[in-house]
Amino acid sequence: MGNRKRSYKAEKVIERMGKKLNRQMVASLVACVHCGLCTEACHYVLANPGDPTYAPAYKADQVRKFFKRHFDWTGRILPWWVKAKSLYTDEELNELKDTVFGKCTNCRRCSLNCPMGVDYATFNRMARGLLVSVGVMPEGVAIVSKDQWEIGNQMGVLKEDYVETLDWLSDELEDELGDPAVRIPIDKMDADVVYSINPREIKYDPRTISDAAKIFYVAGENWTMPSECWDMTNFGLFSGDDDLGGAVGRRLYEKVVELRGGKLVISECGHGYRSTRCEAPNWAGMDVEFEMESSVLTMLRYIKEGRIRVDKTKNKIPVTFHDSCNNARSCGLFEEPRELLSLVVEDFREMYPNRAENYCCTGGGGAMSMSEYTPQRLKSAVTKANQMKDTGAEIVVTSCHNCVDGLTDLIRHYKLGMQVTQLVNLVANAVVVEKKVAVPVEAVPVMAEDNVLKGYRILVTDDEPDFVTFVSAVLEDHGASVSRAYSGDEALELARREKPNLITLDIAMPGKSGKEVFEEMRADSDLKRIPVCIITGRPELRRLIYDRPVPPPEGYMDKPVTEDGLLLNVRKILETAHEKKSSEA
Amino acid sequence: MSGLLHFSEHSLQEFALGFMALVYIIRLVWLIHFKAGRDRQAQTGAANTNPRKGFIYSWANIAMPWAMESTRTKFFLYVQFAIFHLGVTAAIGLSFVIPYAPGLLESAALVIILKTIIGAAFIVGVMRFVRRLSNKYMRAISSPDDYFSLTLLTAWFFFAYLSVPNSTESGEWHLLGYFILTAFFLVYVPFSKISHYLYYPFTRYYLGKTMGHRGVYPMRHVPQPREQR
């Protein structure tokens, strides 16, 4: 292999590849005949016509070439004959990083379209793992992985924040349904169901938790949520780090055993379901004795068993369904969500192609956390956007949090004007609550609702006057005192002067952008403790959530926002921040 | 029959076959020495799917062009694939028929069948070569081995076509060309992409087993309106 000097990292990547290879991967690495049939299976290719570097076989060859050079006999003897090539420099590792992280979401669509059965997604993940092992990875992947190792969940949510949020949600549910039994049970021993969630839910999408709690309550389920080790997401799947994958899975499994839980129910998250249900036992090298199921199956079972009744007329708006790649192509979960949808919505419109042939949302494979590849992610989303547009639906439903974010970004980018929601939201909306409820939902006292924000000062920042007017009106109607800013500079000035209890912040604004304002605030000792809720349609938000150059915002919402959604998020931030302050005092 | 042609049809072929078999065994031992990954998790997906059904479906996939979008929507390429591989089968069979059962070629029907299949495979070989050269994506993924293997097989089809029905009226050059290329092909195959058929059972077995375990295989084909338009 000549006398060319190899960098330490390149040396390690090659050395570790030998240890990572298994028979499935080797067969996939040697079997490709370069027939090109995988080419048009990839959404990146369809969005970038004429650029062969996106073709699955081409991308696979970037990994295959150093496999051939070091492990395959023809490549060792006549490397140029089979395009075998070793890795030497850190620059080459960076180029490989851009391919395996930036040009592929590991959606496995090409694998299912390969006549030879080459599973490119599997060895692309292996290549990611090799790079991660020498520290070559997108910044967001590094940060999220670190939090999952150290704090135990991918968004770095602390135990007290988690428990406070669950308590707050319990208060809300108790107010809404008028029954203390609706409270979310934490660390309850011997529950039949242990419910695990995605940290995105506790941090930015609490509605999904309260909706699930409402369904469990109506079903009369004996359930609980763990106070620790509750994260069912797993960045090991995205980073290719089997050790992280195994550790995260093991933590959750051991918690269920510790609580003597009967079954682990996994909330709607494609990669979380795949990792927890299917992959982590393999990574952790352990056999899991208890049952695990997706919450989609749980909700469907409740309806079939008559434990909950649903009224589909409550969901009248036309909906379509997006199959998460991890659910559909790697776990065979595609009929059940449709069956459930048919029970809870009036107008369901199929998206084509669908099920295991569906196109990726473009946010998979950890892409949402890799802000450096955002432009190519959004460009590659055109196929998905056209698929969605063709349905004529107003809402796209998906059983995956990554897909929620990925689809939200593309809806905004391609101006589709659709909303994204999850099955749990639709089921909770359709569920018939009877008898046990002391105060019917419709009869929640209006006065109490009107003043929920009384005493809070909120600074609303956006360069769109109509949007400022809408947000301000909602907040003022509920008792808040509102200041308005139409640019970044104005926001900073008002924040310094008024020290509000909360700032809502847009990202794209003339002058100082919301991102700059946010970073400046976090660096300012006077302002850094003021909670911020970013309300935007810009994908730059993802960088603040995943790369976290500064502590992430307390909340975020994707435009367009609804009155209910706005109120829920604003109240959650204000009230949990208030409780935190009180407990600190 | 000249001594050279006799040597080419017998000793040379036997040596080449023996060499190929030996190298294949070494290759399989090499592949099997890698540990197979294991699925520890309980099965997911529909109740009528399982690993066994999965790998049987996966192996049968080759004969089900409707099963994958890539072959369903590019049916002409699938037809080319079928003809090309039938041509390979026929040309390999011919290399045994001529030396060991030449009487079979007295059947006019068999001669027509072999000529048609091998001739069509030759045309497909040329078309595939043109596609590999003219398509930007194909060029980007092609190695010298890809071009050479395709050229080798296409030239082999050409000589195989001429070698049916084993006539030496116009000389022995075409038979010599066919048997020498066959021997070269047999020796070269284990080092080239042509050996893919050795790996095919493995790749499809493991993918099928996993997908069967996960409830994805056998895939339920749902009509996709865009394909029907």
Side-chain angles (χ1 to χ4, degrees):
Chain A
M1 301 190 191
N3 295 320
R4 199 172 158 198
K5 197 167 160 37
R6 184 174 284 120
S7 75
Y8 180 76
K9 288 181 179 179
E11 190 79 49
K12 288 290 160 195
V13 164
I14 291 159
E15 188 186 307
R16 286 169 187 168
M17 185 183 217
K19 292 174 188 159
K20 279 218 166 200
L21 290 171
N22 64 24
R23 200 178 301 155
Q24 286 94 323
M25 280 184 219
V26 172
S28 276
L29 282 159
V30 293
C32 179
V33 289
H34 293 146
C35 69
L37 277 178
C38 56
T39 305
E40 284 166 28
C42 176
H43 60 275
Y44 280 104
V45 173
L46 298 176
N48 295 278
D51 185 349
T53 65
Y54 285 102
Y58 182 90
K59 292 182 280 193
D61 278 355
Q62 306 316 300
V63 181
R64 194 174 275 125
K65 67 183 181 187
F66 64 92
F67 163 81
K68 283 186 174 176
R69 187 70 183 98
H70 294 275
F71 300 94
D72 189 49
W73 53 22
T74 316
R76 280 174 166 174
I77 301 162
L78 293 169
W80 61 275
W81 190 246
V82 289
K83 280 192 173 174
K85 195 168 174 278
S86 188
L87 286 167
Y88 289 97
T89 65
D90 291 352
E91 288 71 37
E92 286 171 341
L93 295 180
N94 271 315
E95 283 169 22
L96 184 63
K97 178 194 81 172
D98 290 339
T99 298
V100 300
F101 284 101
K103 292 185 173 182
C104 174
T105 54
N106 276 354
C107 79
R108 231 175 188 174
R109 199 168 192 275
C110 59
S111 306
L112 292 198
N113 273 292
C114 172
M116 287 296 296
V118 170
D119 194 358
Y120 167 52
T122 298
F123 67 83
N124 191 64
R125 180 179 173 272
M126 175 198 68
R128 286 182 173 198
L130 291 171
L131 292 175
V132 164
S133 77
V134 293
V136 178
M137 68 193 106
E139 202 181 339
V141 172
I143 290 164
V144 174
S145 298
K146 185 170 174 285
D147 274 352
Q148 231 174 3
W149 272 118
E150 292 178 0
I151 301 174
N153 65 80
Q154 62 151 296
M155 285 195 168
V157 179
L158 300 174
K159 184 181 174 183
E160 55 268 31
D161 292 337
Y162 168 81
V163 173
E164 264 170 24
T165 304
L166 291 188
D167 280 343
W168 180 80
L169 287 170
S170 291
D171 294 343
E172 291 290 298
L173 280 163
E174 200 178 327
D175 284 349
E176 182 188 337
L177 299 176
D179 184 355
V182 75
R183 296 191 71 82
I184 297 168
I186 301 173
D187 284 343
K188 182 179 171 188
M189 297 296 290
D190 300 308
D192 294 329
V193 163
V194 176
Y195 188 55
S196 59
I197 57 164
N198 183 321
R200 182 183 171 279
E201 297 179 69
I202 200 83
K203 190 108 178 160
Y204 302 114
D205 194 9
R207 172 75 76 192
T208 54
I209 303 172
S210 53
D211 282 349
K214 186 176 170 184
I215 294 164
F216 285 133
Y217 163 73
V218 177
E221 187 60 270
N222 171 23
W223 74 294
T224 191
M225 289 181 77
S227 61
E228 291 174 296
C229 313
W230 44 266
D231 182 4
M232 53 67 172
T233 68
N234 198 323
F235 245 64
L237 181 71
F238 299 150
S239 67
D241 182 348
D242 291 352
D243 290 332
L244 174 62
V248 171
R250 183 178 282 265
R251 234 168 5 212
L252 184 51
Y253 304 147
E254 287 176 351
K255 191 70 189 174
V256 177
V257 172
E258 185 192 315
L259 293 172
R260 297 197 299 265
K263 179 190 279 186
L264 176 65
V265 171
I266 301 156
S267 78
E268 287 179 87
C269 174
H271 99 270
Y273 178 62
R274 178 179 169 192
S275 301
T276 306
R277 174 68 177 78
C278 297
E279 310 288 0
N282 303 321
W283 297 328
M286 66 187 285
D287 295 312
V288 179
E289 302 297 333
F290 53 83
E291 201 184 324
M292 296 187 268
E293 77 179 7
S294 160
S295 60
V296 173
L297 301 179
T298 314
M299 292 187 284
L300 183 59
R301 192 160 43 76
Y302 288 162
I303 297 175
K304 284 182 170 177
E305 290 171 359
R307 292 173 69 175
I308 61 173
R309 282 201 306 117
V310 284
D311 175 7
K312 61 159 74 175
T313 61
K314 289 187 179 171
N315 292 315
K316 288 182 185 295
I317 302 175
V319 305
T320 186
F321 185 72
H322 162 77
D323 289 279
S324 136
C325 304
N326 283 313
N327 281 340
R329 262 190 289 280
S330 288
C331 298
L333 182 65
F334 36 72
E335 297 304 342
E336 294 86 349
R338 286 175 171 76
E339 200 180 343
L340 186 54
L341 268 175
S342 70
L343 296 168
V344 297
V345 302
E346 276 198 330
D347 184 355
F348 169 64
R349 300 170 184 194
E350 192 62 90
M351 189 187 298
Y352 296 99
N354 52 52
R355 296 173 169 82
E357 293 191 353
N358 191 33
Y359 285 105
C360 177
C361 69
T362 68
M368 300 311 296
S369 63
M370 304 171 197
S371 50
E372 58 267 59
Y373 305 125
T374 300
Q376 65 210 65
R377 168 167 69 83
L378 290 171
K379 188 178 177 194
S380 77
V382 66
T383 310
K384 185 85 243 168
N386 290 335
Q387 254 192 304
M388 287 162 56
K389 196 176 169 185
D390 286 352
T391 64
E394 290 172 39
I395 293 177
V396 56
V397 184
T398 185
S399 282
C400 173
H401 281 278
N402 268 322
C403 296
V404 168
D405 284 342
L407 296 175
T408 303
D409 280 1
L410 79 85
I411 284 169
R412 186 81 184 164
H413 187 76
Y414 291 98
K415 298 180 174 59
L416 300 183
M418 296 170 84
Q419 284 177 21
V420 190
T421 193
Q422 295 198 288
L423 275 158
V424 69
N425 307 123
L426 293 174
V427 175
N429 194 44
V431 76
V432 179
V433 185
E434 41 194 358
K435 286 183 185 173
K436 284 180 256 183
V437 185
V439 184
V441 181
E442 291 77 11
V444 169
V446 176
M447 281 306 288
E449 274 292 301
D450 273 351
N451 289 312
V452 288
L453 298 178
K454 192 175 179 186
Y456 289 115
R457 291 188 312 279
I458 301 174
L459 170 60
V460 176
T461 313
D462 203 299
D463 63 324
E464 291 173 40
D466 288 350
F467 189 75
V468 173
T469 305
F470 165 71
V471 174
S472 304
V474 171
L475 300 177
E476 282 172 340
D477 283 353
H478 291 84
S481 154
V482 175
S483 308
R484 298 162 179 79
Y486 299 91
S487 70
D489 293 309
E490 200 181 348
L492 275 171
E493 192 192 320
L494 280 169
R496 288 199 177 100
R497 200 167 63 216
E498 298 184 357
K499 304 277 183 332
N501 301 105
L502 172 72
I503 299 175
T504 74
L505 195 58
D506 182 24
I507 290 277
M509 289 188 294
K512 268 197 183 115
S513 72
K515 189 176 79 59
E516 289 168 310
V517 171
F518 180 66
E519 290 182 1
E520 212 168 298
M521 280 179 56
R522 288 299 204 227
D524 186 321
S525 58
D526 283 344
L527 304 180
K528 69 180 177 189
R529 285 184 177 275
I530 299 177
V532 174
C533 180
I534 293 186
I535 305 178
T536 185
R538 304 283 300 183
E540 287 86 335
L541 165 73
R542 312 292 172 205
R543 186 170 166 268
L544 298 174
I545 305 295
Y546 292 102
D547 286 13
R548 302 177 207 147
V550 290
E554 281 69 19
Y556 80 75
M557 296 184 71
D558 291 297
K559 284 181 182 172
V561 297
T562 60
E563 184 174 338
D564 282 352
L566 177 67
L567 263 181
L568 181 81
N569 277 276
V570 164
R571 288 184 56 216
K572 181 231 158 193
I573 297 167
L574 285 169
E575 289 169 26
T576 54
H578 180 71
E579 280 171 29
K580 205 174 167 185
K581 265 187 192 168
S582 309
S583 60
E584 278 171 6
Chain B
M1 183 192 289
S2 69
L4 180 61
L5 182 57
H6 186 271
F7 169 77
S8 304
E9 285 186 12
H10 291 89
S11 306
L12 186 62
Q13 296 309 309
E14 285 149 18
F15 167 78
L17 272 170
F19 178 82
M20 186 187 77
L22 177 68
V23 180
Y24 270 172
I25 289 167
I26 296 170
R27 194 65 172 161
L28 285 177
V29 169
W30 172 78
L31 179 62
I32 287 166
H33 101 274
F34 289 99
K35 206 176 160 190
R38 180 184 155 197
D39 279 334
R40 286 173 178 272
Q41 75 279 11
Q43 203 170 311
T44 54
N48 63 346
T49 59
N50 60 47
R52 190 166 163 270
K53 281 186 182 174
F55 70 71
I56 290 171
Y57 173 85
S58 183
W59 275 337
N61 193 282
I62 197 167
M64 299 189 295
W66 59 88
M68 290 192 303
E69 183 195 78
S70 56
T71 45
R72 194 164 63 233
T73 56
K74 290 189 165 45
F75 190 68
F76 186 54
L77 284 181
Y78 179 80
V79 171
Q80 286 184 28
F81 151 83
I83 292 170
F84 193 82
H85 286 82
L86 281 173
V88 171
T89 310
I92 289 173
L94 186 66
S95 73
F96 288 95
V97 168
I98 291 176
Y100 303 114
L104 288 176
L105 291 175
E106 285 166 18
S107 158
L110 182 64
V111 167
I112 290 169
I113 290 169
L114 285 174
K115 276 218 172 266
T116 306
I117 293 173
I118 296 171
F122 168 75
I123 293 166
V124 168
V126 173
M127 288 166 71
R128 286 182 152 203
F129 197 82
V130 171
R131 176 171 174 255
R132 201 167 275 282
L133 275 178
S134 61
N135 183 303
K136 200 174 183 176
Y137 292 98
M138 295 301 288
R139 278 202 308 275
I141 58 176
S142 297
S143 65
D145 175 44
D146 291 314
Y147 292 111
F148 181 74
S149 297
L150 187 52
T151 309
L152 176 67
L153 281 172
T154 308
W156 184 56
F157 287 142
F158 175 74
F159 282 103
Y161 179 83
L162 296 178
S163 300
V164 180
N166 190 24
S167 164
T168 51
E169 275 176 23
S170 56
E172 291 180 343
W173 61 274
H174 53 290
L175 285 163
L176 274 172
Y178 169 60
F179 279 103
I180 290 169
L181 272 180
T182 306
F184 179 77
F185 164 72
L186 293 173
V187 170
Y188 176 69
V189 161
F191 304 97
S192 77
K193 66 173 271 186
I194 307 171
S195 59
H196 63 275
Y197 60 84
L198 189 68
Y199 310 120
Y200 179 87
F202 290 91
T203 49
R204 291 233 66 107
Y205 170 78
Y206 285 116
L207 182 71
K209 192 175 156 213
T210 302
M211 290 299 164
H213 194 61
R214 305 280 181 91
V216 182
Y217 281 176
M219 253 169 90
R220 181 184 152 200
H221 181 58
V222 181
Q224 310 279 339
R226 276 194 193 163
E227 290 163 21
Q228 292 165 359
R229 275 176 212 161

